[in-house]
Amino acid sequence: MRDLNEILSQSSNSENQCFVRVALPIRHMDLLDYRCESHESAGVGCRVVVPFGRGTRLGIIVEQQHESNIASEKIKPIISVIETEPVVGEDLLRTLQWTSQYYHQSLGEVLWAALPNAVRTGRSLQPNVELGYCLSEIGRDFDIGNLSRARVQKAIVEILQTATQPVGQALLSNTGKSWRSAIRQLISKKLVEAQPLKSPEYSGHAELIQNLTDAQVVAVEKIVNTLDIYRCFLVHGVTGSGKTEVYLHVIDKILQSGGQALLLVPEIGLTPQLEQRVNRALGITVSCFHSGMTDIQRHKTWWGARTGAAKVVIGTRSAVFLPFKKLAIIVIDEEHDTSFKQHERVRYHARSVAIHRAATLKVPLVFGTATPSIETIFAAQMGRLEKIDLPERATKIRMPSMKLIDLNRSLLRDGVAIQILTEIEKRLHRREQSLIFINRRGFAPVIICRDCKWIANCVNCDAKLIYHISDQRLHCHHCFARFEMPSQCPDCMSDRVVRLGEGTQRIEQLLRSEILGARVMRIDRDSTQSHAEFERKIQQIQNREVDILIGTQMLSKGHDFPNVTLVCVLNVDAGFYSMDFRATEHMIQQVLQVAGRAGRFEKPGNVYIQTMFPDHEVFSSLLTHDYLRFARRELDQRKLARQPPYSHYALLRANSPQAGKEFDFLNQAHASATSILRRQSCSDIRLFDIVQSPIQKLSNRYRAQLLVSSENPRTLRHFLGIWTPLMEKIPQRGKLRWSLDIDPIDFM
Ligand code: ADP
Ligand code: ZN
Ligand code: ZN
């Protein structure tokens, strides 16, 4: 029985208070209930400070209710409302809620992943906006002859005299290093005023190609005809078939009708090239969003999306969460690329989130690629998306010819066929460029004792060490530890310890010594760490300051290298040994991508692929550029093996610094799964055995995993909905960590 006082105190409060559910960025955390005085008028989407534990936390209101299931006196009041303006709008919140539910991550974590750092940490929603400058009334009548002794001030006034709108930093900074102090002096002389920069209205395209091919015209029409409804398209066309041109024409229509466009690109594919191309074609300045930018720059794009000032955003996966004011289309270029999946914290796939986002907003979604993911091909077969083909190169330039080099019958030098070296030399004489693709960093991937077969492994990881020539040490590519190169075998004291195999550095050394006079450039994560450096190198390649490029996948995506006429792919075979069922798919995608870099303009290209398995069936599709034939075979195999897209996976991973604890956890999780399955008789859930992860130890943590699958995604979701709360209750000892990965892409 509740006592009378309690009931009275509740009813007297109930008029001027409501309850809110608040999301906090904490793993496995449900929404928390707080009380809110009505005069605080904080609605859904607002940031609030709430008591939590012994301290306070920043949270976001995600629900408002007039009553709560919890006894009112147990509910603490919120401490303060940061602003009454919602940080996330209703449509975005719905997508974030879906993301949270689908990926079994707390809504708070998902929300935080969607916010710029400044907003997450409680600072102002609006970034410091850049000011523009214009002449004051006095300034307009001013005789600039009076400024002849102040060169920079004079130059600034001259620019402002011809401007019809406030002028920003980009233009003014050209007047000289001291432009800021010159501006300050002009302002103090009351000649110049500062004003917020206006984002110009879209004035129509500047430089779109007018003579689209028939296939391009059809593609543009199909997409443009569905602008107000959700519809998903796959634009499938070889590299150079004019997909980007199609996006540009569609985006042009979107901008004309006042909408915003989002163009998602893979991690590395984001290049100044694409940005410049869009700017030029549409006559606007696009906004970017990627990890190479500063927090402040990203915050500005976030704000621009929100206010509508950013009309076109080009971004990597997390841009799918930008709070657009009027988003009218999402384009995902290179949709097959695995970098659209995030592997840490919130493990979402931007492609899946984009589908939800576009469907909520009722706008079209366009996937574009030369090599669609098997999942996307399947979706097209099932009629969930419409496939539009661009069967030929827009410029009528032939596709590069593909040739295999059988490693079993070739003379090699440091792993490179002599034939390839000869071809590179020919290109050098013709002043054309060659691209050597090898997806392995470092100099040599195996350090082995010839006598006892000891292999250098990382002490922290279950992984081989890679020799790097730059510091002549052994590097672990997993935990980044470095070790001395042993002069003797630590096991048998033999001094026959050798460096086997090749990485980018050994190939660089080989080509420098074999191809005399060639200018060689290596592009991998060791040689090219910053975004700016990457851009500089790409520019050098374009300026033909380089003859031979050696690179990892950093080079394979999205760039045009018009003068590259030879592409050599060195180590495709790794794809055949992998335990990952998608390895062949990724291999053929990568080879076709990198092949697409060759001979994109006047000059036809040649591609050479080295392999030990020239008879492998995947090559018959590769050599004829027949990706769909590969896809059909792959779909057949996956159907037989009951693999995605014919079934849906969820991977439970656990790791612990104490060997065995990861298995303890997974055993308990397995037991609770078994008991759910027994009770619920979910016969179409497959619970696999617990296994060690392919990299069993990583950074001194022992790792294991448990796979669950179902042919029916709803059954799987239902099951996970019961299972995950049970896992959260398993007592965790020994600094155990676990995570659930829905639709996992990598199984390492
Ligand atoms: P993709 O995105 O499929 O790789 P792009 O749109 O980049 O293809 O087009 C490849 C090249 O062909 C670009 O240089 C582009 O300017 C040119 N191009 C595209 N469409 C046409 C067209 N209709 N006529 C002439 N050139 C075109
Ligand atoms: Zn030895
Ligand atoms: Zn390591």
Side-chain angles (χ1 to χ4, degrees):
M1 271 285 269
R2 287 192 291 172
D3 76 19
L4 192 60
N5 276 339
E6 193 184 322
I7 293 169
L8 278 177
S9 78
Q10 258 187 0
S11 59
S12 66
N13 278 344
S14 64
E15 279 144 40
N16 52 14
Q17 75 179 12
C18 68
F19 300 96
V20 289
R21 311 203 72 202
V22 174
L24 300 182
I26 301 174
R27 283 197 77 194
H28 311 311
M29 172 67 76
D30 275 339
L31 302 177
L32 298 176
D33 288 34
Y34 289 95
R35 257 185 304 127
C36 185
E37 308 298 326
S38 64
H39 59 81
E40 283 172 323
S41 71
V44 168
C46 292
R47 291 187 296 175
V48 288
V49 177
V50 293
F52 181 75
R54 265 176 264 159
T56 62
R57 289 297 281 258
L58 187 72
I60 290 179
I61 298 180
V62 292
E63 279 173 40
Q64 239 174 344
Q65 315 167 308
H66 287 290
E67 46 203 79
S68 167
N69 299 334
I70 306 172
S72 165
E73 71 281 359
K74 286 202 182 136
I75 301 183
K76 294 187 182 146
I78 58 178
I79 293 170
S80 64
V81 180
I82 296 198
E83 70 268 284
T84 51
E85 200 184 341
V87 174
V88 279
E90 203 183 316
D91 63 279
L92 178 56
L93 186 57
R94 268 170 65 191
T95 296
L96 295 172
Q97 272 162 335
W98 175 86
T99 307
S100 151
Q101 282 157 14
Y102 185 82
Y103 292 102
H104 296 271
Q105 312 266 344
S106 80
L107 180 55
E109 276 191 300
V110 175
L111 267 163
W112 255 244
L115 295 177
N117 205 17
V119 178
R120 275 181 221 162
T121 47
R123 276 171 281 155
S124 158
L125 290 189
Q126 181 172 359
N128 287 331
V129 283
E130 190 198 338
L131 289 175
Y133 300 92
C134 53
L135 293 176
S136 66
E137 253 187 71
I138 307 175
R140 264 177 298 213
D141 298 331
F142 185 72
D143 173 11
I144 68 170
N146 295 329
L147 289 175
S148 53
R149 305 246 304 275
R151 193 189 57 80
V152 179
Q153 291 184 35
K154 182 160 171 256
I156 290 175
V157 173
E158 276 170 353
I159 291 178
L160 300 187
Q161 276 174 340
T162 58
T164 52
Q165 291 207 348
V167 179
Q169 157 173 3
L171 220 71
L172 296 180
S173 56
N174 292 333
T175 56
K177 276 211 184 82
S178 60
W179 75 275
R180 281 183 196 280
S181 82
I183 282 277
R184 273 197 297 276
Q185 284 164 19
L186 288 167
I187 291 176
S188 71
K189 290 179 194 162
K190 299 211 167 15
L191 298 177
V192 166
E193 291 169 350
Q195 281 185 6
L197 280 175
K198 280 200 215 97
S199 63
E201 289 304 308
Y202 184 55
S203 62
H205 44 79
E207 239 184 71
L208 283 174
I209 289 184
Q210 291 308 321
N211 52 338
L212 293 183
T213 62
D214 293 347
Q216 285 174 315
V217 170
V218 171
V220 173
E221 272 176 5
K222 279 196 171 155
I223 301 167
V224 168
N225 282 340
T226 62
L227 285 191
D228 295 321
I229 51 171
Y230 166 67
R231 188 96 200 241
C232 185
F233 299 94
L234 165 64
V235 180
H236 180 211
V238 294
T239 42
S241 60
K243 297 182 292 294
T244 312
E245 209 55 47
V246 169
Y247 314 151
L248 289 171
H249 279 257
V250 173
I251 292 174
D252 170 53
K253 294 281 184 308
I254 301 273
L255 298 185
Q256 284 182 18
S257 60
Q260 293 168 284
L262 170 61
L263 175 55
L264 290 179
V265 296
E267 206 109 59
I268 300 297
L270 187 90
T271 65
Q273 255 181 37
L274 180 63
E275 191 185 329
Q276 283 158 15
R277 180 166 169 195
V278 180
N279 284 343
R280 220 176 327 114
L282 300 172
I284 55 168
T285 309
V286 301
S287 303
C288 289
F289 195 82
H290 58 82
S291 60
M293 294 164 57
T294 63
D295 280 348
I296 296 173
Q297 289 169 326
R298 277 199 302 264
H299 191 186
K300 282 187 177 154
T301 299
W302 182 86
W303 181 253
R306 182 181 163 107
T307 57
K311 300 200 164 54
V312 178
V313 175
I314 303 180
T316 48
R317 59 182 178 241
S318 59
V320 74
F321 295 126
L322 284 173
F324 289 92
K325 186 173 182 193
K326 196 167 176 234
L327 184 59
I329 193 164
I330 305 177
V331 178
I332 306 190
D333 194 26
E334 312 293 2
E335 70 74 37
H336 64 278
D337 198 288
T338 52
S339 70
F340 288 118
K341 175 85 198 275
Q342 173 147 308
H343 294 292
E344 67 280 336
R345 295 191 305 276
V346 183
R347 293 173 178 75
Y348 64 94
H349 201 305
R351 202 172 54 202
S352 308
V353 177
I355 291 174
H356 190 272
R357 191 97 208 266
T360 312
L361 293 171
K362 302 196 175 57
V363 301
L365 171 62
V366 179
F367 296 159
T369 173
T371 52
S373 63
I374 298 298
E375 281 82 356
T376 295
I377 301 246
F378 181 69
Q381 283 184 357
M382 304 299 284
R384 287 202 295 272
L385 55 80
E386 184 175 347
K387 188 156 154 306
I388 305 174
D389 291 316
L390 299 182
E392 283 169 15
R393 281 195 157 178
T395 46
K396 306 281 182 259
I397 288 173
R398 270 178 294 134
M399 294 300 288
S401 75
M402 304 273 223
K403 286 206 183 84
L404 291 184
I405 294 189
D406 183 350
L407 286 175
N408 306 295
R409 301 152 184 259
S410 305
L411 276 178
L412 302 182
R413 192 154 301 158
D414 280 353
V416 181
I418 300 288
Q419 196 188 344
I420 285 187
L421 296 175
T422 318
E423 291 294 327
I424 297 176
E425 222 147 28
K426 279 192 209 156
R427 298 305 181 293
L428 182 69
H429 291 138
R430 300 209 299 251
R431 301 255 147 256
E432 296 169 3
Q433 293 169 313
S434 306
L435 191 165
I436 320 299
F437 177 73
I438 168 165
N439 223 353
R440 199 190 280 139
R441 296 186 291 124
F443 187 86
V446 183
I447 310 302
I448 188 168
C449 166
R450 283 228 188 271
D451 290 326
C452 76
K453 304 294 178 266
W454 167 87
I455 289 183
N457 271 316
C458 178
V459 297
N460 308 321
C461 309
D462 157 40
K464 291 193 199 69
L465 291 172
I466 318 282
Y467 178 72
H468 279 242
I469 195 114
S470 45
D471 58 0
Q472 303 183 5
R473 298 175 84 194
L474 304 179
H475 293 207
C476 175
H477 284 183
H478 297 285
C479 71
F480 306 108
R482 295 179 181 196
F483 306 87
E484 292 310 318
M485 170 79 196
S487 51
Q488 274 187 333
C489 170
D491 278 4
C492 75
M493 302 304 158
S494 153
D495 50 12
R496 302 209 307 149
V497 178
V498 292
R499 304 168 298 191
L500 286 190
E502 352 5 84
T504 46
Q505 295 175 355
R506 193 194 287 260
I507 302 301
E508 180 186 9
Q509 193 186 63
L510 169 77
L511 294 177
R512 281 188 194 281
S513 64
E514 288 291 319
I515 317 275
L516 294 177
R519 295 162 300 174
V520 180
M521 177 187 277
R522 170 163 63 91
I523 298 198
D524 57 24
R525 253 194 295 144
D526 303 302
S527 74
T528 316
Q529 286 176 347
S530 74
H531 213 72
E533 197 176 351
F534 184 55
E535 287 174 12
R536 196 172 46 76
K537 287 192 165 171
I538 298 286
Q539 198 55 53
Q540 278 178 296
I541 301 171
Q542 248 124 32
N543 297 345
R544 302 197 185 185
E545 293 162 32
V546 184
D547 303 307
I548 304 175
L549 333 171
I550 300 156
T552 54
Q553 58 173 354
M554 281 178 98
L555 266 187
S556 68
K557 298 178 188 175
H559 305 280
D560 282 345
F561 297 129
N563 202 41
V564 167
T565 57
L566 172 71
V567 170
C568 307
V569 185
L570 298 190
N571 65 337
V572 289
D573 290 347
F576 298 132
Y577 299 121
S578 171
M579 308 212 294
D580 181 351
F581 70 91
R582 287 194 185 89
T584 331
E585 176 190 350
H586 293 158
M587 188 272 270
I588 183 169
Q589 287 168 344
Q590 207 159 49
V591 174
L592 286 174
Q593 283 292 322
V594 69
R597 308 298 117 216
R600 288 194 82 170
F601 286 81
E602 307 83 44
K603 299 165 189 156
N606 296 92
V607 179
Y608 289 85
I609 304 165
Q610 294 194 156
T611 178
M612 304 275 277
F613 310 101
D615 299 327
H616 196 288
E617 59 183 61
V618 69
F619 289 120
S620 40
S621 306
L622 246 178
L623 297 188
T624 52
H625 296 270
D626 193 351
Y627 182 78
L628 287 181
R629 172 183 152 162
F630 159 78
R632 279 190 297 269
R633 295 194 67 109
E634 185 69 17
L635 277 167
D636 289 345
Q637 285 174 12
R638 296 216 192 150
K639 190 171 189 176
L640 278 176
R642 290 204 274 166
Q643 285 164 338
Y646 294 96
S647 74
H648 299 261
Y649 279 2
L651 186 65
L652 179 63
R653 295 190 179 88
N655 65 71
S656 161
Q658 281 167 278
K661 294 284 184 235
E662 75 286 15
F663 279 95
D664 292 349
F665 174 84
L666 291 177
N667 279 325
Q668 293 189 53
H670 194 282
S672 58
T674 316
S675 74
I676 297 169
L677 295 183
R678 211 178 296 128
R679 265 183 286 130
Q680 305 256 331
S681 68
C682 313
S683 55
D684 44 0
I685 295 272
R686 254 173 114 187
L687 192 60
F688 288 68
D689 290 336
I690 300 169
V691 291
Q692 283 175 348
S693 302
I695 299 178
Q696 185 211 342
K697 187 172 86 163
L698 194 82
S699 298
N700 285 316
R701 301 185 72 91
Y702 295 85
R703 312 159 76 237
Q705 55 198 34
L706 167 57
L707 184 66
V708 188
S709 82
S710 172
E711 276 158 44
N712 183 341
R714 268 188 221 103
T715 317
L716 185 62
R717 267 179 91 163
H718 174 74
F719 166 76
L720 294 174
I722 308 171
W723 192 34
T724 32
L726 297 181
M727 284 188 286
E728 279 155 19
K729 295 205 184 88
I730 298 177
Q732 294 174 21
R733 295 196 194 89
K735 299 203 178 126
L736 181 112
R737 285 190 212 136
W738 63 272
S739 64
L740 188 62
D741 191 355
I742 311 297
D743 307 330
I745 289 281
D746 99 83
F747 295 83
M748 299 312 275

